[in-house]
Amino acid sequence: MRKIFRIVIFILFGIFIILQFFQPETNRGEVTSNHIFNQEAIPDTVKILLKNACFDCHSNQTNYLWYNKIAPVSWLVNKHIVAGKKELNFSDWGKLNAIDKVSALGDIYDEVERKKMPLKEYTAMHKKAKLSDEQIKLLCDWTEETGAKIMSSLSE
Ligand code: HEC
């Protein structure tokens, strides 16, 4: 019995090692002029929230924790990044036209206000990403102000 147990452990370990050779691409691109920090004047208090709570899935610059690089966790992380960036990529903010920006800001407001974002699976592991009611208000107020600013620049 003990021998079988040892063989099973050995095989599982072998599978685990093999999995490590199938890694998704690392999401660490250059910060360009299209990044939202280079596009909008954003207060530092809001910048920190976006960075801590959103950028890992919604930018080209993910800050990986050590175990995020280990399969199969790395696959799950990558799935979130790919799906997250498809909806919203703060690194490509400059590529959006004014209407799309205003609409994205509205979506951000909705997701944050309804506590849908950041994802629960994420905040369980990233304490800094957990937004207090105050921080939610700060972020939502910022989306409204920025949306209004963009709208008024349209009518000029
Ligand atoms: C752990 C990864 C992760 C984090 C962190 C995260 N998101 Fe997302 N986000 C996703 C994924 C995946 C989707 C697409 C699928 C979905 O809606 O669940 C998404 C979708 C969205 C959408 C589009 C929703 C829609 O259906 O219109 C918005 C807006 C958004 N996120 C904003 C944010 C903001 C703002 C933050 C930070 C406060 C944030 N997200 C943090 C993964 C993440």
PDB file of all heavy atoms in Angstrom, residues 49-50 52-58 77 79-85 87-88 90 104 106-109 111-112 116-119 121-122 129 131 139, ligand 1:
ATOM      1  N   LEU A  49      -5.563  53.607  -6.265  1.00  0.00           N
ATOM      2  CA  LEU A  49      -6.665  52.634  -6.289  1.00  0.00           C
ATOM      3  C   LEU A  49      -6.671  51.868  -7.603  1.00  0.00           C
ATOM      4  O   LEU A  49      -6.815  50.641  -7.620  1.00  0.00           O
ATOM      5  CB  LEU A  49      -8.010  53.342  -6.090  1.00  0.00           C
ATOM      6  CG  LEU A  49      -8.204  54.075  -4.765  1.00  0.00           C
ATOM      7  CD1 LEU A  49      -9.606  54.668  -4.693  1.00  0.00           C
ATOM      8  CD2 LEU A  49      -7.969  53.138  -3.587  1.00  0.00           C
ATOM      9  N   LEU A  50      -6.534  52.582  -8.707  1.00  0.00           N
ATOM     10  CA  LEU A  50      -6.528  51.922 -10.018  1.00  0.00           C
ATOM     11  C   LEU A  50      -5.367  50.922 -10.090  1.00  0.00           C
ATOM     12  O   LEU A  50      -5.538  49.784 -10.540  1.00  0.00           O
ATOM     13  CB  LEU A  50      -6.390  52.954 -11.142  1.00  0.00           C
ATOM     14  CG  LEU A  50      -7.582  53.886 -11.354  1.00  0.00           C
ATOM     15  CD1 LEU A  50      -7.235  54.971 -12.366  1.00  0.00           C
ATOM     16  CD2 LEU A  50      -8.813  53.115 -11.823  1.00  0.00           C
ATOM     17  N   ASN A  52      -3.653  49.471  -7.569  1.00  0.00           N
ATOM     18  CA  ASN A  52      -3.758  48.340  -6.638  1.00  0.00           C
ATOM     19  C   ASN A  52      -4.920  47.411  -6.940  1.00  0.00           C
ATOM     20  O   ASN A  52      -4.853  46.227  -6.639  1.00  0.00           O
ATOM     21  CB  ASN A  52      -3.919  48.845  -5.197  1.00  0.00           C
ATOM     22  CG  ASN A  52      -2.631  49.400  -4.648  1.00  0.00           C
ATOM     23  OD1 ASN A  52      -1.558  49.168  -5.206  1.00  0.00           O
ATOM     24  ND2 ASN A  52      -2.730  50.153  -3.570  1.00  0.00           N
ATOM     25  N   ALA A  53      -6.000  47.973  -7.492  1.00  0.00           N
ATOM     26  CA  ALA A  53      -7.211  47.159  -7.611  1.00  0.00           C
ATOM     27  C   ALA A  53      -7.568  46.743  -9.036  1.00  0.00           C
ATOM     28  O   ALA A  53      -8.342  45.810  -9.215  1.00  0.00           O
ATOM     29  CB  ALA A  53      -8.392  47.919  -6.995  1.00  0.00           C
ATOM     30  N   CYS A  54      -7.023  47.408 -10.050  1.00  0.00           N
ATOM     31  CA  CYS A  54      -7.503  47.156 -11.418  1.00  0.00           C
ATOM     32  C   CYS A  54      -6.415  46.747 -12.418  1.00  0.00           C
ATOM     33  O   CYS A  54      -6.662  45.944 -13.304  1.00  0.00           O
ATOM     34  CB  CYS A  54      -8.191  48.398 -11.988  1.00  0.00           C
ATOM     35  SG  CYS A  54      -9.350  49.205 -10.869  1.00  0.00           S
ATOM     36  N   PHE A  55      -5.251  47.316 -12.275  1.00  0.00           N
ATOM     37  CA  PHE A  55      -4.245  47.180 -13.346  1.00  0.00           C
ATOM     38  C   PHE A  55      -3.754  45.751 -13.581  1.00  0.00           C
ATOM     39  O   PHE A  55      -3.317  45.432 -14.681  1.00  0.00           O
ATOM     40  CB  PHE A  55      -3.039  48.091 -13.083  1.00  0.00           C
ATOM     41  CG  PHE A  55      -3.266  49.534 -13.428  1.00  0.00           C
ATOM     42  CD1 PHE A  55      -4.520  49.983 -13.820  1.00  0.00           C
ATOM     43  CD2 PHE A  55      -2.238  50.452 -13.355  1.00  0.00           C
ATOM     44  CE1 PHE A  55      -4.741  51.313 -14.131  1.00  0.00           C
ATOM     45  CE2 PHE A  55      -2.439  51.790 -13.677  1.00  0.00           C
ATOM     46  CZ  PHE A  55      -3.695  52.215 -14.061  1.00  0.00           C
ATOM     47  N   ASP A  56      -3.818  44.906 -12.561  1.00  0.00           N
ATOM     48  CA  ASP A  56      -3.308  43.545 -12.775  1.00  0.00           C
ATOM     49  C   ASP A  56      -4.092  42.816 -13.868  1.00  0.00           C
ATOM     50  O   ASP A  56      -3.537  41.952 -14.546  1.00  0.00           O
ATOM     51  CB  ASP A  56      -3.340  42.732 -11.475  1.00  0.00           C
ATOM     52  CG  ASP A  56      -2.134  43.043 -10.600  1.00  0.00           C
ATOM     53  OD1 ASP A  56      -1.206  43.709 -11.081  1.00  0.00           O
ATOM     54  OD2 ASP A  56      -2.130  42.606  -9.432  1.00  0.00           O
ATOM     55  N   CYS A  57      -5.377  43.169 -14.037  1.00  0.00           N
ATOM     56  CA  CYS A  57      -6.195  42.513 -15.074  1.00  0.00           C
ATOM     57  C   CYS A  57      -6.565  43.449 -16.221  1.00  0.00           C
ATOM     58  O   CYS A  57      -6.977  42.991 -17.272  1.00  0.00           O
ATOM     59  CB  CYS A  57      -7.484  41.973 -14.473  1.00  0.00           C
ATOM     60  SG  CYS A  57      -7.244  40.769 -13.187  1.00  0.00           S
ATOM     61  N   HIS A  58      -6.458  44.747 -15.994  1.00  0.00           N
ATOM     62  CA  HIS A  58      -6.914  45.703 -17.006  1.00  0.00           C
ATOM     63  C   HIS A  58      -5.796  46.607 -17.510  1.00  0.00           C
ATOM     64  O   HIS A  58      -6.017  47.810 -17.737  1.00  0.00           O
ATOM     65  CB  HIS A  58      -8.059  46.562 -16.460  1.00  0.00           C
ATOM     66  CG  HIS A  58      -9.329  45.805 -16.215  1.00  0.00           C
ATOM     67  ND1 HIS A  58     -10.130  45.341 -17.225  1.00  0.00           N
ATOM     68  CD2 HIS A  58      -9.930  45.417 -15.062  1.00  0.00           C
ATOM     69  CE1 HIS A  58     -11.175  44.717 -16.703  1.00  0.00           C
ATOM     70  NE2 HIS A  58     -11.079  44.738 -15.386  1.00  0.00           N
ATOM     71  N   VAL A  77      -4.922  32.979 -13.782  1.00  0.00           N
ATOM     72  CA  VAL A  77      -4.538  34.390 -13.777  1.00  0.00           C
ATOM     73  C   VAL A  77      -4.578  34.928 -15.209  1.00  0.00           C
ATOM     74  O   VAL A  77      -5.125  35.994 -15.481  1.00  0.00           O
ATOM     75  CB  VAL A  77      -3.123  34.561 -13.156  1.00  0.00           C
ATOM     76  CG1 VAL A  77      -2.579  35.961 -13.385  1.00  0.00           C
ATOM     77  CG2 VAL A  77      -3.158  34.237 -11.672  1.00  0.00           C
ATOM     78  N   LYS A  79      -6.269  33.814 -17.727  1.00  0.00           N
ATOM     79  CA  LYS A  79      -7.644  33.872 -18.224  1.00  0.00           C
ATOM     80  C   LYS A  79      -8.289  35.202 -17.799  1.00  0.00           C
ATOM     81  O   LYS A  79      -8.962  35.856 -18.599  1.00  0.00           O
ATOM     82  CB  LYS A  79      -8.423  32.681 -17.633  1.00  0.00           C
ATOM     83  CG  LYS A  79      -9.592  32.241 -18.474  1.00  0.00           C
ATOM     84  CD  LYS A  79     -10.276  31.040 -17.864  1.00  0.00           C
ATOM     85  CE  LYS A  79     -11.683  31.431 -17.536  1.00  0.00           C
ATOM     86  NZ  LYS A  79     -12.332  30.647 -16.506  1.00  0.00           N
ATOM     87  N   HIS A  80      -8.066  35.586 -16.553  1.00  0.00           N
ATOM     88  CA  HIS A  80      -8.604  36.861 -16.061  1.00  0.00           C
ATOM     89  C   HIS A  80      -8.003  38.043 -16.814  1.00  0.00           C
ATOM     90  O   HIS A  80      -8.701  38.997 -17.138  1.00  0.00           O
ATOM     91  CB  HIS A  80      -8.300  37.020 -14.560  1.00  0.00           C
ATOM     92  CG  HIS A  80      -9.207  36.216 -13.692  1.00  0.00           C
ATOM     93  ND1 HIS A  80      -8.868  35.849 -12.408  1.00  0.00           N
ATOM     94  CD2 HIS A  80     -10.439  35.712 -13.914  1.00  0.00           C
ATOM     95  CE1 HIS A  80      -9.858  35.160 -11.878  1.00  0.00           C
ATOM     96  NE2 HIS A  80     -10.825  35.052 -12.775  1.00  0.00           N
ATOM     97  N   ILE A  81      -6.708  37.967 -17.064  1.00  0.00           N
ATOM     98  CA  ILE A  81      -6.035  39.081 -17.744  1.00  0.00           C
ATOM     99  C   ILE A  81      -6.568  39.232 -19.172  1.00  0.00           C
ATOM    100  O   ILE A  81      -6.912  40.336 -19.609  1.00  0.00           O
ATOM    101  CB  ILE A  81      -4.501  38.876 -17.759  1.00  0.00           C
ATOM    102  CG1 ILE A  81      -3.948  38.932 -16.335  1.00  0.00           C
ATOM    103  CG2 ILE A  81      -3.817  39.922 -18.642  1.00  0.00           C
ATOM    104  CD1 ILE A  81      -2.491  38.494 -16.213  1.00  0.00           C
ATOM    105  N   VAL A  82      -6.668  38.112 -19.886  1.00  0.00           N
ATOM    106  CA  VAL A  82      -7.123  38.168 -21.281  1.00  0.00           C
ATOM    107  C   VAL A  82      -8.563  38.694 -21.342  1.00  0.00           C
ATOM    108  O   VAL A  82      -8.873  39.612 -22.109  1.00  0.00           O
ATOM    109  CB  VAL A  82      -6.998  36.781 -21.953  1.00  0.00           C
ATOM    110  CG1 VAL A  82      -7.677  36.769 -23.311  1.00  0.00           C
ATOM    111  CG2 VAL A  82      -5.522  36.399 -22.090  1.00  0.00           C
ATOM    112  N   ALA A  83      -9.434  38.138 -20.481  1.00  0.00           N
ATOM    113  CA  ALA A  83     -10.838  38.565 -20.492  1.00  0.00           C
ATOM    114  C   ALA A  83     -10.970  40.001 -19.992  1.00  0.00           C
ATOM    115  O   ALA A  83     -11.767  40.784 -20.521  1.00  0.00           O
ATOM    116  CB  ALA A  83     -11.675  37.615 -19.624  1.00  0.00           C
ATOM    117  N   GLY A  84     -10.175  40.360 -18.998  1.00  0.00           N
ATOM    118  CA  GLY A  84     -10.231  41.710 -18.431  1.00  0.00           C
ATOM    119  C   GLY A  84      -9.780  42.752 -19.443  1.00  0.00           C
ATOM    120  O   GLY A  84     -10.438  43.771 -19.632  1.00  0.00           O
ATOM    121  N   LYS A  85      -8.665  42.476 -20.119  1.00  0.00           N
ATOM    122  CA  LYS A  85      -8.140  43.445 -21.089  1.00  0.00           C
ATOM    123  C   LYS A  85      -9.053  43.596 -22.309  1.00  0.00           C
ATOM    124  O   LYS A  85      -9.079  44.640 -22.951  1.00  0.00           O
ATOM    125  CB  LYS A  85      -6.741  43.017 -21.550  1.00  0.00           C
ATOM    126  CG  LYS A  85      -5.686  43.218 -20.478  1.00  0.00           C
ATOM    127  CD  LYS A  85      -4.261  43.361 -20.963  1.00  0.00           C
ATOM    128  CE  LYS A  85      -3.804  42.502 -22.072  1.00  0.00           C
ATOM    129  NZ  LYS A  85      -2.351  42.600 -22.294  1.00  0.00           N
ATOM    130  N   GLU A  87     -12.215  43.695 -22.219  1.00  0.00           N
ATOM    131  CA  GLU A  87     -13.277  44.637 -21.823  1.00  0.00           C
ATOM    132  C   GLU A  87     -12.726  46.050 -21.641  1.00  0.00           C
ATOM    133  O   GLU A  87     -13.396  47.027 -21.974  1.00  0.00           O
ATOM    134  CB  GLU A  87     -13.901  44.204 -20.492  1.00  0.00           C
ATOM    135  CG  GLU A  87     -14.706  42.924 -20.552  1.00  0.00           C
ATOM    136  CD  GLU A  87     -16.051  43.108 -21.245  1.00  0.00           C
ATOM    137  OE1 GLU A  87     -16.532  44.252 -21.332  1.00  0.00           O
ATOM    138  OE2 GLU A  87     -16.607  42.087 -21.692  1.00  0.00           O
ATOM    139  N   LEU A  88     -11.538  46.129 -21.056  1.00  0.00           N
ATOM    140  CA  LEU A  88     -11.009  47.437 -20.661  1.00  0.00           C
ATOM    141  C   LEU A  88      -9.506  47.316 -20.443  1.00  0.00           C
ATOM    142  O   LEU A  88      -9.070  46.479 -19.658  1.00  0.00           O
ATOM    143  CB  LEU A  88     -11.704  47.854 -19.345  1.00  0.00           C
ATOM    144  CG  LEU A  88     -11.186  49.072 -18.607  1.00  0.00           C
ATOM    145  CD1 LEU A  88     -11.511  50.342 -19.379  1.00  0.00           C
ATOM    146  CD2 LEU A  88     -11.820  49.161 -17.222  1.00  0.00           C
ATOM    147  N   PHE A  90      -6.455  49.830 -19.488  1.00  0.00           N
ATOM    148  CA  PHE A  90      -6.017  51.182 -19.118  1.00  0.00           C
ATOM    149  C   PHE A  90      -4.710  51.572 -19.810  1.00  0.00           C
ATOM    150  O   PHE A  90      -4.403  52.758 -19.917  1.00  0.00           O
ATOM    151  CB  PHE A  90      -5.852  51.293 -17.601  1.00  0.00           C
ATOM    152  CG  PHE A  90      -7.157  51.329 -16.840  1.00  0.00           C
ATOM    153  CD1 PHE A  90      -7.571  50.263 -16.046  1.00  0.00           C
ATOM    154  CD2 PHE A  90      -7.979  52.448 -16.908  1.00  0.00           C
ATOM    155  CE1 PHE A  90      -8.769  50.303 -15.327  1.00  0.00           C
ATOM    156  CE2 PHE A  90      -9.185  52.511 -16.201  1.00  0.00           C
ATOM    157  CZ  PHE A  90      -9.579  51.423 -15.410  1.00  0.00           C
ATOM    158  N   ALA A 104     -16.692  53.894 -21.145  1.00  0.00           N
ATOM    159  CA  ALA A 104     -15.857  53.058 -20.270  1.00  0.00           C
ATOM    160  C   ALA A 104     -15.922  53.571 -18.834  1.00  0.00           C
ATOM    161  O   ALA A 104     -16.026  52.784 -17.888  1.00  0.00           O
ATOM    162  CB  ALA A 104     -14.418  53.059 -20.775  1.00  0.00           C
ATOM    163  N   GLY A 106     -18.370  55.127 -17.461  1.00  0.00           N
ATOM    164  CA  GLY A 106     -19.687  54.731 -16.948  1.00  0.00           C
ATOM    165  C   GLY A 106     -19.690  53.268 -16.507  1.00  0.00           C
ATOM    166  O   GLY A 106     -20.228  52.921 -15.452  1.00  0.00           O
ATOM    167  N   ASP A 107     -19.043  52.419 -17.312  1.00  0.00           N
ATOM    168  CA  ASP A 107     -18.950  50.992 -16.956  1.00  0.00           C
ATOM    169  C   ASP A 107     -18.147  50.795 -15.670  1.00  0.00           C
ATOM    170  O   ASP A 107     -18.504  49.976 -14.823  1.00  0.00           O
ATOM    171  CB  ASP A 107     -18.258  50.194 -18.083  1.00  0.00           C
ATOM    172  CG  ASP A 107     -19.141  50.047 -19.315  1.00  0.00           C
ATOM    173  OD1 ASP A 107     -20.367  50.287 -19.196  1.00  0.00           O
ATOM    174  OD2 ASP A 107     -18.613  49.707 -20.388  1.00  0.00           O
ATOM    175  N   ILE A 108     -17.071  51.568 -15.554  1.00  0.00           N
ATOM    176  CA  ILE A 108     -16.233  51.467 -14.351  1.00  0.00           C
ATOM    177  C   ILE A 108     -17.072  51.854 -13.127  1.00  0.00           C
ATOM    178  O   ILE A 108     -17.067  51.156 -12.113  1.00  0.00           O
ATOM    179  CB  ILE A 108     -14.982  52.373 -14.461  1.00  0.00           C
ATOM    180  CG1 ILE A 108     -14.078  51.872 -15.594  1.00  0.00           C
ATOM    181  CG2 ILE A 108     -14.223  52.438 -13.144  1.00  0.00           C
ATOM    182  CD1 ILE A 108     -12.986  52.842 -16.022  1.00  0.00           C
ATOM    183  N   TYR A 109     -17.796  52.963 -13.271  1.00  0.00           N
ATOM    184  CA  TYR A 109     -18.670  53.400 -12.180  1.00  0.00           C
ATOM    185  C   TYR A 109     -19.600  52.266 -11.760  1.00  0.00           C
ATOM    186  O   TYR A 109     -19.692  51.909 -10.589  1.00  0.00           O
ATOM    187  CB  TYR A 109     -19.491  54.625 -12.630  1.00  0.00           C
ATOM    188  CG  TYR A 109     -20.415  55.171 -11.565  1.00  0.00           C
ATOM    189  CD1 TYR A 109     -20.095  56.340 -10.886  1.00  0.00           C
ATOM    190  CD2 TYR A 109     -21.604  54.519 -11.236  1.00  0.00           C
ATOM    191  CE1 TYR A 109     -20.930  56.850  -9.896  1.00  0.00           C
ATOM    192  CE2 TYR A 109     -22.440  55.009 -10.238  1.00  0.00           C
ATOM    193  CZ  TYR A 109     -22.108  56.181  -9.575  1.00  0.00           C
ATOM    194  OH  TYR A 109     -22.929  56.663  -8.595  1.00  0.00           O
ATOM    195  N   GLU A 111     -19.513  48.965 -12.288  1.00  0.00           N
ATOM    196  CA  GLU A 111     -18.865  47.757 -11.759  1.00  0.00           C
ATOM    197  C   GLU A 111     -18.345  47.985 -10.336  1.00  0.00           C
ATOM    198  O   GLU A 111     -18.487  47.116  -9.479  1.00  0.00           O
ATOM    199  CB  GLU A 111     -17.694  47.342 -12.660  1.00  0.00           C
ATOM    200  CG  GLU A 111     -18.101  46.934 -14.060  1.00  0.00           C
ATOM    201  CD  GLU A 111     -18.965  45.687 -14.085  1.00  0.00           C
ATOM    202  OE1 GLU A 111     -18.564  44.678 -13.475  1.00  0.00           O
ATOM    203  OE2 GLU A 111     -20.032  45.724 -14.719  1.00  0.00           O
ATOM    204  N   VAL A 112     -17.762  49.144 -10.115  1.00  0.00           N
ATOM    205  CA  VAL A 112     -17.178  49.428  -8.802  1.00  0.00           C
ATOM    206  C   VAL A 112     -18.279  49.690  -7.778  1.00  0.00           C
ATOM    207  O   VAL A 112     -18.247  49.176  -6.664  1.00  0.00           O
ATOM    208  CB  VAL A 112     -16.189  50.621  -8.903  1.00  0.00           C
ATOM    209  CG1 VAL A 112     -15.736  51.081  -7.523  1.00  0.00           C
ATOM    210  CG2 VAL A 112     -14.985  50.232  -9.752  1.00  0.00           C
ATOM    211  N   LYS A 116     -18.797  44.662  -8.136  1.00  0.00           N
ATOM    212  CA  LYS A 116     -18.496  43.538  -9.027  1.00  0.00           C
ATOM    213  C   LYS A 116     -17.007  43.502  -9.344  1.00  0.00           C
ATOM    214  O   LYS A 116     -16.454  42.461  -9.669  1.00  0.00           O
ATOM    215  CB  LYS A 116     -19.277  43.688 -10.322  1.00  0.00           C
ATOM    216  CG  LYS A 116     -20.772  43.617 -10.118  1.00  0.00           C
ATOM    217  CD  LYS A 116     -21.376  42.602 -11.051  1.00  0.00           C
ATOM    218  CE  LYS A 116     -22.768  42.235 -10.624  1.00  0.00           C
ATOM    219  NZ  LYS A 116     -23.646  42.014 -11.753  1.00  0.00           N
ATOM    220  N   MET A 117     -16.381  44.678  -9.291  1.00  0.00           N
ATOM    221  CA  MET A 117     -14.948  44.783  -9.555  1.00  0.00           C
ATOM    222  C   MET A 117     -14.299  45.468  -8.368  1.00  0.00           C
ATOM    223  O   MET A 117     -14.902  46.373  -7.801  1.00  0.00           O
ATOM    224  CB  MET A 117     -14.682  45.595 -10.835  1.00  0.00           C
ATOM    225  CG  MET A 117     -15.067  44.892 -12.102  1.00  0.00           C
ATOM    226  SD  MET A 117     -13.911  43.555 -12.469  1.00  0.00           S
ATOM    227  CE  MET A 117     -14.970  42.434 -13.381  1.00  0.00           C
ATOM    228  N   PRO A 118     -13.076  45.125  -7.993  1.00  0.00           N
ATOM    229  CA  PRO A 118     -12.292  44.000  -8.511  1.00  0.00           C
ATOM    230  C   PRO A 118     -12.903  42.642  -8.145  1.00  0.00           C
ATOM    231  O   PRO A 118     -13.647  42.560  -7.166  1.00  0.00           O
ATOM    232  CB  PRO A 118     -10.937  44.196  -7.831  1.00  0.00           C
ATOM    233  CG  PRO A 118     -11.179  45.065  -6.661  1.00  0.00           C
ATOM    234  CD  PRO A 118     -12.367  45.895  -6.961  1.00  0.00           C
ATOM    235  N   LEU A 119     -12.606  41.621  -8.933  1.00  0.00           N
ATOM    236  CA  LEU A 119     -13.171  40.295  -8.712  1.00  0.00           C
ATOM    237  C   LEU A 119     -12.862  39.777  -7.302  1.00  0.00           C
ATOM    238  O   LEU A 119     -11.776  39.986  -6.797  1.00  0.00           O
ATOM    239  CB  LEU A 119     -12.595  39.311  -9.746  1.00  0.00           C
ATOM    240  CG  LEU A 119     -12.977  39.505 -11.201  1.00  0.00           C
ATOM    241  CD1 LEU A 119     -12.275  38.455 -12.065  1.00  0.00           C
ATOM    242  CD2 LEU A 119     -14.472  39.419 -11.412  1.00  0.00           C
ATOM    243  N   GLU A 121     -12.315  36.769  -6.274  1.00  0.00           N
ATOM    244  CA  GLU A 121     -11.191  35.808  -6.217  1.00  0.00           C
ATOM    245  C   GLU A 121      -9.878  36.553  -6.061  1.00  0.00           C
ATOM    246  O   GLU A 121      -8.931  36.044  -5.491  1.00  0.00           O
ATOM    247  CB  GLU A 121     -11.066  34.987  -7.521  1.00  0.00           C
ATOM    248  CG  GLU A 121     -12.243  34.137  -7.863  1.00  0.00           C
ATOM    249  CD  GLU A 121     -13.005  34.727  -9.036  1.00  0.00           C
ATOM    250  OE1 GLU A 121     -13.680  35.756  -8.812  1.00  0.00           O
ATOM    251  OE2 GLU A 121     -12.951  34.153 -10.133  1.00  0.00           O
ATOM    252  N   TYR A 122      -9.873  37.755  -6.624  1.00  0.00           N
ATOM    253  CA  TYR A 122      -8.650  38.563  -6.608  1.00  0.00           C
ATOM    254  C   TYR A 122      -8.447  39.233  -5.249  1.00  0.00           C
ATOM    255  O   TYR A 122      -7.362  39.155  -4.671  1.00  0.00           O
ATOM    256  CB  TYR A 122      -8.749  39.595  -7.721  1.00  0.00           C
ATOM    257  CG  TYR A 122      -7.572  40.520  -7.843  1.00  0.00           C
ATOM    258  CD1 TYR A 122      -6.418  40.115  -8.501  1.00  0.00           C
ATOM    259  CD2 TYR A 122      -7.615  41.807  -7.325  1.00  0.00           C
ATOM    260  CE1 TYR A 122      -5.333  40.974  -8.624  1.00  0.00           C
ATOM    261  CE2 TYR A 122      -6.539  42.665  -7.445  1.00  0.00           C
ATOM    262  CZ  TYR A 122      -5.411  42.242  -8.103  1.00  0.00           C
ATOM    263  OH  TYR A 122      -4.332  43.095  -8.229  1.00  0.00           O
ATOM    264  N   ALA A 129      -6.315  45.495  -2.686  1.00  0.00           N
ATOM    265  CA  ALA A 129      -7.298  45.734  -3.745  1.00  0.00           C
ATOM    266  C   ALA A 129      -8.721  45.832  -3.193  1.00  0.00           C
ATOM    267  O   ALA A 129      -9.638  46.229  -3.905  1.00  0.00           O
ATOM    268  CB  ALA A 129      -7.221  44.622  -4.787  1.00  0.00           C
ATOM    269  N   LEU A 131     -11.689  47.421  -1.770  1.00  0.00           N
ATOM    270  CA  LEU A 131     -12.039  48.837  -1.699  1.00  0.00           C
ATOM    271  C   LEU A 131     -13.028  49.091  -0.560  1.00  0.00           C
ATOM    272  O   LEU A 131     -14.036  48.401  -0.440  1.00  0.00           O
ATOM    273  CB  LEU A 131     -12.655  49.296  -3.027  1.00  0.00           C
ATOM    274  CG  LEU A 131     -11.780  49.136  -4.280  1.00  0.00           C
ATOM    275  CD1 LEU A 131     -12.541  49.597  -5.519  1.00  0.00           C
ATOM    276  CD2 LEU A 131     -10.473  49.906  -4.147  1.00  0.00           C
ATOM    277  N   LEU A 139     -13.424  56.648  -6.261  1.00  0.00           N
ATOM    278  CA  LEU A 139     -13.250  56.163  -7.626  1.00  0.00           C
ATOM    279  C   LEU A 139     -14.460  56.530  -8.506  1.00  0.00           C
ATOM    280  O   LEU A 139     -14.307  56.989  -9.639  1.00  0.00           O
ATOM    281  CB  LEU A 139     -13.072  54.636  -7.567  1.00  0.00           C
ATOM    282  CG  LEU A 139     -12.293  53.935  -8.663  1.00  0.00           C
ATOM    283  CD1 LEU A 139     -10.990  54.639  -8.955  1.00  0.00           C
ATOM    284  CD2 LEU A 139     -12.029  52.483  -8.259  1.00  0.00           C
TER     285      LEU A 139
HETATM  286  C1  HEC B   1      -8.636  39.613 -11.183  1.00  0.00           C
HETATM  287  C2  HEC B   1      -8.814  40.351 -12.403  1.00  0.00           C
HETATM  288  C3  HEC B   1      -9.602  41.631 -12.386  1.00  0.00           C
HETATM  289  C4  HEC B   1      -9.435  42.739 -11.584  1.00  0.00           C
HETATM  290  C5  HEC B   1      -8.434  42.926 -10.477  1.00  0.00           C
HETATM  291  C6  HEC B   1     -10.389  43.707 -12.037  1.00  0.00           C
HETATM  292  N1  HEC B   1     -11.108  43.205 -13.081  1.00  0.00           N
HETATM  293 FE1  HEC B   1     -12.511  44.155 -14.165  1.00  0.00          FE
HETATM  294  N2  HEC B   1     -12.848  42.494 -15.280  1.00  0.00           N
HETATM  295  C7  HEC B   1     -12.153  41.312 -15.166  1.00  0.00           C
HETATM  296  C8  HEC B   1     -12.699  40.342 -16.093  1.00  0.00           C
HETATM  297  C9  HEC B   1     -12.220  38.914 -16.239  1.00  0.00           C
HETATM  298  C10 HEC B   1     -13.733  40.988 -16.793  1.00  0.00           C
HETATM  299  C11 HEC B   1     -14.618  40.433 -17.914  1.00  0.00           C
HETATM  300  C12 HEC B   1     -15.601  39.446 -17.439  1.00  0.00           C
HETATM  301  C13 HEC B   1     -16.507  39.938 -16.375  1.00  0.00           C
HETATM  302  O1  HEC B   1     -17.203  40.940 -16.581  1.00  0.00           O
HETATM  303  O2  HEC B   1     -16.492  39.331 -15.297  1.00  0.00           O
HETATM  304  C14 HEC B   1     -13.800  42.341 -16.268  1.00  0.00           C
HETATM  305  C15 HEC B   1     -14.682  43.303 -16.701  1.00  0.00           C
HETATM  306  C16 HEC B   1     -14.655  44.623 -16.302  1.00  0.00           C
HETATM  307  C17 HEC B   1     -15.469  45.667 -16.873  1.00  0.00           C
HETATM  308  C18 HEC B   1     -16.507  45.498 -17.981  1.00  0.00           C
HETATM  309  C19 HEC B   1     -17.750  44.967 -17.375  1.00  0.00           C
HETATM  310  C20 HEC B   1     -18.896  44.948 -18.338  1.00  0.00           C
HETATM  311  O3  HEC B   1     -19.491  43.874 -18.439  1.00  0.00           O
HETATM  312  O4  HEC B   1     -19.166  45.976 -18.958  1.00  0.00           O
HETATM  313  C21 HEC B   1     -15.150  46.820 -16.220  1.00  0.00           C
HETATM  314  C22 HEC B   1     -15.732  48.201 -16.470  1.00  0.00           C
HETATM  315  C23 HEC B   1     -14.152  46.495 -15.231  1.00  0.00           C
HETATM  316  N3  HEC B   1     -13.878  45.152 -15.305  1.00  0.00           N
HETATM  317  C24 HEC B   1     -13.583  47.404 -14.378  1.00  0.00           C
HETATM  318  C25 HEC B   1     -12.682  47.087 -13.389  1.00  0.00           C
HETATM  319  C26 HEC B   1     -12.157  48.050 -12.436  1.00  0.00           C
HETATM  320  C27 HEC B   1     -12.500  49.527 -12.422  1.00  0.00           C
HETATM  321  C28 HEC B   1     -11.330  47.368 -11.602  1.00  0.00           C
HETATM  322  C29 HEC B   1     -10.619  47.899 -10.396  1.00  0.00           C
HETATM  323  C30 HEC B   1     -11.402  48.568  -9.418  1.00  0.00           C
HETATM  324  C31 HEC B   1     -11.309  45.976 -12.054  1.00  0.00           C
HETATM  325  N4  HEC B   1     -12.152  45.856 -13.119  1.00  0.00           N
HETATM  326  C32 HEC B   1     -10.540  44.966 -11.489  1.00  0.00           C
HETATM  327  C33 HEC B   1     -11.113  41.067 -14.306  1.00  0.00           C
HETATM  328  C34 HEC B   1     -10.656  41.939 -13.329  1.00  0.00           C
END
